[in-house]
Amino acid sequence: MNVSDFYSCVLGMEQVAADETSVYLRYTKTNSLGVATTLVFSKNDEPLEMGNSFDHLVIGTANVHAAAEVIREKGFPDCIFLTPTPMFGTTVLGLTDPNGYKLYLAETK
């Protein structure tokens, strides 16, 4: 499974566009007060240079415990580096995507 499959199949993002070189994913149905973000993935097989100017992405979800179960059921238990933990006045789940980037699911109530 490639990294764009991880975000679409595991985290539920939808492909909103694609061309010869890239795939564009975003959440299309949201009631969030946050900023809509589009993730762009290259279709080439060249290794990704991570760089040092990006730390993590946070995605809001209704239930991080249920999200952790879905991630385990879909066969990605190893991507969880932080089990659901109370933090910052909410509960967060820490994940690492297939390219090594960190993201957190934060419970929205």
Side-chain angles (χ1 to χ4, degrees):
M1 178 178 282
N2 64 40
V3 70
S4 65
D5 290 338
F6 172 83
Y7 282 90
S8 60
C9 296
V10 176
L11 297 179
M13 296 185 87
E14 296 179 37
Q15 181 176 314
V16 294
D19 58 30
E20 300 80 34
T21 61
S22 303
V23 175
Y24 303 81
L25 301 176
R26 82 172 349 167
Y27 290 108
T28 58
K29 298 174 187 131
T30 180
N31 294 326
S32 172
L33 298 175
V35 176
T37 301
T38 301
L39 300 180
V40 181
F41 297 96
S42 174
K43 288 183 178 179
N44 69 35
D45 291 331
E46 296 176 22
L48 178 68
E49 184 176 324
M50 293 218 10
N52 61 5
S53 61
F54 178 82
D55 186 59
H56 64 274
L57 178 68
V58 178
I59 301 169
T61 188
N63 186 328
V64 296
H65 293 278
E69 282 307 309
V70 168
I71 291 166
R72 288 183 189 102
E73 289 169 3
K74 291 190 178 211
F76 289 91
D78 294 339
C79 77
I80 299 172
F81 71 86
L82 177 67
T83 58
T85 304
M87 189 181 300
F88 307 118
T90 188
T91 303
V92 299
L93 169 70
L95 306 173
T96 304
D97 80 6
N99 281 341
Y101 286 104
K102 301 266 189 264
L103 58 139
Y104 294 87
L105 300 184
E107 201 161 86
T108 56
K109 291 187 180 184

